[in-house]
Amino acid sequence: MPNLTLVLFLSTLLIFSSSSSFAFQSDELLLDDEEFGLEGGSHPRSPEPVITDSPPKQTPSIRRRYSDPDLDSKIQFTLEHAFGDSDFSSAGTFSARLKTWSHGGQTLTKLRFARNEFSDEEKDAFKNLLKGDDFYRIRLPSNVVTPPGREYVIASVRARCLPRDGLDEHIAIHMDGANILAVSYGSPGACPYPRQLKLPGKWTFNSHTILKSSEQAPRTPIFTEEILGSSENMEGEAEAPVERSFWAKYWMYLIPLGLIVMNAVTQASNMAEEQPAGSQGQAPAAIQRGSAPRRR
Amino acid sequence: MAMAIKASLLLLVFLSSAIVSFSLYEDQVGLMDWHQRYIGKVKHAVFHTQKAGRKRVIVSTEENVVASLDLRHGEIFWRHVLGTNDAIDGVEIALGKCRNHLHYMWCSAISGYVITLSSQGSTLRAWNLPDGQMVWETSLHSAQISKSLLSVPINLKVDKDYPILAFGGGYLHAVSAIDGERVLQPPESSIIYVLGFLHSSEAVVYQIDSKTGEVVAEKSMVFPDGFSGAVSSVSSDKIVVLDSTRSILVTIGFLDGDISFQKTPVSDLVEDSGNAEILSPLLSNMVAVKVNRRTIFVRVGGEGKLEVVDSLSDETAMSVSLPVADDQVAFASAHHEGSKIQLMVKLVDDLETVLLRESIEMDQHRGRVDKVFINNYIKTDMSNGFRALIVMEDHSLLLLQQGAIVWSREEGLASVTDVTTAELPVEKDGVSVAKVEHTLVDWLKGHMLKLKGSLLLASPEDVAAIQEMRMKSSGRSKLTRDHNGFRKLFIALTRAGKLFALHTGDGRIVWSMLLNSPSKSEACERPSGISLYQWQVPHHHAMDENPSVLVVGRCGSDSSAPGVLSFVDVYTGKEISSSDIGHSVVRVMPLPFTDSTEQRLHLIADTEGHVHLYPKTSEALSIFQREFQNVYWYTVEGDDGIIRGHGMKSSCAGETADEYCFTTKELWTVVFPSESEKIISTLTRKPNEVVHTQAKVNTDQDLLYKYVSRNLLFVATVSPKGAGEIGSVTPEESALVVYLIDTITGRILHRLSHQGCQGPVHAVFSENWVVYHYFNLRAHKYEVTVVEIYDQSRAENKNVWKLVLGKHNLTAPISSYSRPEMFTKSQSYFFAQSVKTIAVTSTAKGITSKQLLIGTIGDQILALDKRFVDPRRTLNPSQAEKEEGIIPLTDSLPIIPQSYITHSLKVEGLRGIVTAPAKLESTTHVFAYGVDLFYTRLAPSKTYDSLADDFSYALLLITIVALVAAIYITWVISEKKELSEKWR
């Protein structure tokens, strides 16, 4: 199936969808708002294992508020691409729901992505990029409500990073309300440095899209005396030292000792050979003392 | 001295298990640290030479310092550094004030007060003249920002008190000198004339009754051409200004409240006149105008008629007029003639009479004379003598008297903008240690003394002798490289565009050099230095070359002004070459490539988005073209909140013929929403930092791989509302967001938002961690957060067998285009102090544990172990974790008084801390600059790889000799015994 496949992530819920309004046919039912049960359902065209990566705290609120249609508004914004230094042209469409919270904040949810297929000229342009190891660039509006907002948010990747079986891309959109701060674009895996020229087997995109919002910093813990006091108690309980083996305790003494003994033995045996006629009792010791530093 | 580093590693492990807190003993102060006190470029100077007692000069400077200097030696009696936003507008001495101090009338006529007006005329302070204590402070009401003036009229006496007149913010205030209260009861009525300008085209005269402060009369008149520039008041009822075209001198008379204008074109006075500029000095009935690089003196006649009296060529600095005996008024002018300074004192009324003419030999590297202040004194033969305080172009301050320089102060060092380090030359003819330790007797004597000292037998004289010996014998001020790398040069670039080389041993200036424009053209008279780079650091194949530094300057304050490059030899301080580069300088990027002579390749980006390669040699070009595809750079547009990444595109051969110029293309952008985020801080790692271990071993024998990338950018943003001062917003309105961005691909690797927090953010970035300091509005405390980044893609390389068999990806090149698999650990702590700057120690191989150097608000530097900001700290660390050196978690970071590396000193106006590694792994150089300079050597894990300075070699030698003797004696005895046994 050469058509585009879209994967989209929304909190921990994900919806695979394809839209029928573009240059491809989809055999898939359009999703309603309430079909969250799809998580478990296997999808025949799911190209990759599901990746879930989003702030989990959003999940319950989305589920709860989802039936509230008047707070949502459907929006669409386009992904544009450029080959090397060419001008930007449309490459696909994101559609999403913009939820407006009672406190005035806005959140983008239910993001879907419909990727246009490369036309023949675009294929040629992309092949040129691959040959020159040049940049494939994409851009998004910096505000999804009033595109393009202040300015476009641009990202680019070396074209040789994309082709595998098909063309694999990973788009992480960093959001702040209705604003797009930045978009990270690249292949979903590694792209080791001496980039090899490789033409894609299929001219279809496997798109992985992910929305990222800001993480809240944890609050600095404030310890009261009691907590500190109890921690000391805890320490007191844990006072009993773990019994360690003899070797673990004294290895640092044993190893040098062993070396010295071995050294001495070698010395002694050497001596015996050198001086077969047994000399006085203290002589071996004296010679050993004298020669040991020389050896070191 | 230095043992093998590997052997010392074990020792390091033992040492680091104890909490090492750096501290000094009292007698160690000054052994390896030095501190220099400065005041900055002098703006105003008031002499105080009356009566007996100390002769002093009170100065205020551009570093917002008010100081009292000894006129005999130039030492600082006292000084006060006002805040950065508290610029001093005027300084005066108020004299003759008496106060009824309980029982007796107490006249402080000898002492007097120093009055300063600061903060755009809104703060008036009085300091006691002898000791600099603040006597009173009055804050004056001000409505708008305007030029402010301070004057202490001598003839206006009000009830035994001389009021001070201060103008600022659209108000005129009369303030009592005794207590700073506003004066309300002057005994006799007098009129103060005030002339002001409205909208730069209308002159207004107010007559103010000094008794009540009421405006008696007001008169205004419109001058259609408009005014511009400085005002010169020539007499009590006349002033001269320039019109807006700067070609016509306008004399304004305001006698009795009537205003009259009289225009005189400058071209009538001198031929081929260009734009004129009125010089500020106050000369009676005379105005000094600068036209066509000449200074002309114009006498203002009774009817406003102007006539040229005198003219001086070249740049001339002039003093304000000074009353000398017999109602005469004199002024001083100073100008350059060759390598000498001509100082002349003339009478204002009669320019032919030259009271003093002196020519003084002056160092070329001080530049031109910028300001002159004169003071007269009575010579022994009862004639008038003059002394002049001059400020040079390099901001240095000199006192001239009797044709000689009495003292000089290098005040340029109070405004250091950039610092780099350089090695000293290698010792050529092997001077042995014996030469330093003159004779064996001295040497033995010294060691006997040291032995005494260590056995606590030394008398106070002995202690002093030991101290002195330590200072001398270490040879720390020699001008050659030492084995441990303790002797180095710090190259400092000052705001005046002067380079100083400071010796780490004793802080003396080895050489200094004022940057000159190469062409000395009109367009670039005084280039200002921007930054400093190590241009050539020879170590492998270019050992005979001298190292050199690159100074990047700019011809003007505008960022689009053309740049100037200057290459300076570090050993000699001579400029090797310099060039006008003909394009602007936005960013200078040292590349990690060097050519065959070890010259580092640099890219300079201009405002048009082009980059230029330096040095302009074909060899550099070929090196660069090999790496052309892999060169990236980024720009931060702070005002717009946009960060852009760029890659190389092609040579800009199409536009210019310059083959060293390249065009770039935009690869990525990060656009911060303007309504919620504003960039306040960006930071990268030091490019020359060395990371020794890539991995960190956990307590459970687990490996954590550090995510060490040179291409990480730390960005901190706050809500636009919260960009102001602390406390100006509520916690709900302000949020601080920090980012870690990969500058090759523009990926945001880490993003953390702190709700209810506010800047300013001070951060330090080293290895794989960032530590940043900010204010928490909810907790009303400063906080410090640490973020450590670990690489997960290499996490599978834990198996030893994999490493042995080579089945690991540790040696594979890391590409930014791979999807980063990393995770971060972070933790926050409270910190009790406000911070001015943060730095981190750096050592030669990166083995030694690190310390954060925190420049506190009290202008001191606190050394804090990195282990205190370790995100793995827990409340109850296990036994294993404790052994590893993890400190139990506390909510705030400790401030241990002994760990102030500045001990009792203050680095006034602290602005930056620079660290540089010594050759000895344990040791790092620390150089802090502000108004003051401070240097010390630090060993964050103690000097585990060298013996202590006071190690007694004599004792060691004696022990060895004694042992050898004992061995010999016992051997002889045993031989004898053996023999006797054999004879038995």
Side-chain angles (χ1 to χ4, degrees), chain A residues 51 53 84-85 132-135 137-138 142-143 150-158 161 170 173-177 179-195 210 212-224 227-228 230-232 234-235 238-239 242 244 251-252 280 282, chain B residues 627-632 637 639-642 644 647-649 665-677 737 739 744-755 774 776 778-779 781 783 813-819 824 826-830 875-877 879 882-883 888-891 974 978 982:
Chain A
I51 305 160
D53 186 2
D85 305 322
D133 195 18
D134 210 343
F135 290 100
R137 302 195 285 163
I138 60 156
S142 67
N143 191 300
R150 216 145 57 86
E151 188 150 333
Y152 284 100
V153 169
I154 303 174
S156 54
V157 70
R158 294 273 181 189
C161 288
H170 183 271
I173 304 173
H174 294 267
M175 301 289 301
D176 177 50
N179 293 305
I180 296 179
L181 259 85
V183 53
S184 303
Y185 184 72
S187 69
C191 181
Y193 170 57
R195 289 177 285 267
I210 177 167
K212 280 190 174 172
S213 63
S214 173
E215 236 176 275
Q216 287 287 329
R219 292 187 59 177
T220 310
I222 298 169
F223 307 130
T224 54
I227 298 174
L228 286 175
S230 68
S231 76
E232 271 159 28
M234 295 278 281
E235 274 172 35
E239 197 72 19
V242 186
R244 283 182 299 173
W251 62 271
M252 65 285 272
Q280 292 299 321
Q282 71 209 76
Chain B
E627 302 290 339
F628 189 70
Q629 285 283 312
N630 295 325
V631 176
Y632 303 84
E637 294 166 22
D639 298 333
D640 299 337
I642 298 175
R644 292 177 203 277
M648 294 293 134
K649 194 171 165 189
K665 56 188 165 191
E666 196 170 299
L667 293 181
W668 54 266
T669 53
V670 174
V671 181
F672 296 106
S674 55
E675 67 273 11
S676 62
E677 292 184 38
V737 192
Y739 298 87
I744 304 294
T745 58
R747 283 180 210 266
I748 294 179
L749 299 178
H750 174 72
R751 180 178 171 200
L752 194 66
S753 84
H754 298 265
Q755 289 298 324
Y774 54 93
N776 188 334
R778 288 219 173 88
K781 278 177 187 171
E783 270 184 11
I814 297 163
S815 169
S816 277
Y817 289 106
S818 301
R819 194 164 146 239
T824 56
S826 92
Q827 209 166 54
S828 301
Y829 321 88
F830 293 123
L875 214 50
N876 295 309
Q879 192 62 36
K882 270 188 198 162
E883 273 174 20
L889 182 61
T890 48
D891 53 356
S974 79
E978 213 171 290
K982 277 186 181 162

Side-chain angles (χ1 to χ4, degrees), chain B residues 496-517:
Chain B
K498 194 170 184 180
L499 274 187
F500 287 93
L502 300 170
H503 196 286
T504 54
D506 51 5
R508 73 175 188 278
I509 297 165
V510 178
W511 52 261
S512 62
M513 197 212 78
L514 187 68
L515 292 183
N516 282 321
S517 163

